[in-house]
Amino acid sequence: MSVKSNSKTEQRAKQSGKTKISLGQKISDTLKRRILNWEYPPNTLLVEEELSEEFGVSRSPVREALQMLESAGLAERRKNRSFVVKQVRFEEVRDIYEFREAIELYVIERLCVLEQRQAGLKALKVQWLDIQKSHEAGVDPEPAKAALLDQDFHEGLAELLGNKVILNALRSLSERLLFFRTIDFQRDGRIGETCREHLEIIDAIEKGNIEMARRCLLENIDGGLQNVQYGLQVALMRSHS
């Protein structure tokens, strides 16, 4: 049994007419994978000329790719206009997760008292029951795909609230969080935990139980943060060995 692709991120890209991926995007995706796999440790110099030669392209798409990495918080520009892989500071990661918690706690508290929440919750529930069945059958999505599915779940809850300002604020965090979400899902057993936690969150909202919903959401987000912290520590030790 396989998990079907149902990423709202992918759907939004198709709806906006982005059927062709630019060279810059393809290069950016490759460099992102290398950063996620710690092939490029923090402070690794990303040289336009070398990357242009490697990918067999001009400097223009490479420059575009590096700017994408900068926007995603994965690279930073130096004064001489060169780029390096950004040094990950756990304090910054924690701050992002705390901001995310503040937004999402408000979302689920409001959903618990909204009568029109049931239809949207049913769709999310069906999706995560399917993912759970696949997990129990021994088939899990790759970490990068699991990260997108997790992103879509949390954005989906905010979408049900109907507050565009809150939804846009959460989406603005998504690109920065995707790097850390992928690290989270690199831990064995995480997809099974996430299925249970997501379904418990939905169950609590369906019952209108605010305290239970808060507790389940915090377990889900805080557990992810702990996985990220451990993953970063292991990766850093590996990169210096």
Side-chain angles (χ1 to χ4, degrees), residues 89-133:
R89 297 177 180 85
F90 188 71
E91 294 78 10
E92 181 181 354
V93 179
R94 187 182 59 230
D95 289 346
I96 294 172
Y97 271 75
E98 284 182 357
F99 182 41
R100 175 189 168 193
E101 277 187 359
I103 295 174
E104 294 198 38
L105 282 172
Y106 176 80
V107 167
I108 62 168
E109 287 174 5
R110 294 294 303 140
L111 286 178
C112 281
V113 298
L114 284 179
E115 293 182 0
Q116 64 268 34
R117 64 183 181 266
Q118 299 298 337
L121 284 174
K122 183 178 179 180
L124 286 174
K125 188 171 187 176
V126 167
Q127 182 185 23
W128 281 89
L129 283 171
D130 286 344
I131 296 171
Q132 187 178 58
K133 288 178 182 177

Side-chain angles (χ1 to χ4, degrees), residues 19-62:
T19 55
K20 292 184 179 180
I21 301 176
S22 69
L23 272 176
Q25 183 66 63
K26 289 179 180 179
I27 295 170
S28 175
D29 289 344
T30 299
L31 297 179
K32 279 183 182 180
R33 284 196 297 272
R34 292 176 182 177
I35 293 172
L36 284 169
N37 292 329
W38 229 261
E39 295 173 40
Y40 291 164
N43 294 321
T44 298
L45 187 62
L46 301 172
V47 182
E48 277 188 22
E49 184 177 1
E50 293 177 1
L51 292 171
S52 296
E53 185 176 345
E54 177 188 348
F55 290 101
V57 298
S58 68
R59 290 195 180 191
S60 181
V62 170

Side-chain angles (χ1 to χ4, degrees), residues 50-96:
E50 293 177 1
L51 292 171
S52 296
E53 185 176 345
E54 177 188 348
F55 290 101
V57 298
S58 68
R59 290 195 180 191
S60 181
V62 170
R63 193 173 298 119
E64 178 188 357
L66 293 174
Q67 290 170 348
M68 289 179 179
L69 292 178
E70 182 183 26
S71 297
L74 300 178
E76 58 185 0
R77 193 191 307 254
R78 293 289 173 84
K79 290 182 179 179
N80 61 359
R81 301 181 68 182
S82 64
F83 287 85
V84 297
V85 176
K86 189 173 181 180
Q87 180 70 46
V88 179
R89 297 177 180 85
F90 188 71
E91 294 78 10
E92 181 181 354
V93 179
R94 187 182 59 230
D95 289 346
I96 294 172

Side-chain angles (χ1 to χ4, degrees), residues 181-227:
R181 274 188 162 115
T182 305
I183 292 174
D184 179 12
F185 283 101
Q186 287 173 345
R187 186 176 73 76
D188 290 341
R190 179 55 174 161
I191 190 67
E193 289 177 358
T194 300
C195 288
R196 175 184 59 79
E197 291 163 355
H198 284 185
L199 291 170
E200 286 176 350
I201 290 169
I202 292 172
D203 182 58
I205 295 173
E206 286 178 332
K207 293 176 179 176
N209 189 327
I210 294 177
E211 287 306 313
M212 182 185 295
R214 285 176 57 89
R215 186 168 62 252
C216 294
L217 180 72
L218 289 173
E219 179 186 0
N220 179 239
I221 296 178
D222 290 345
L225 180 58
Q226 290 174 20
N227 290 336

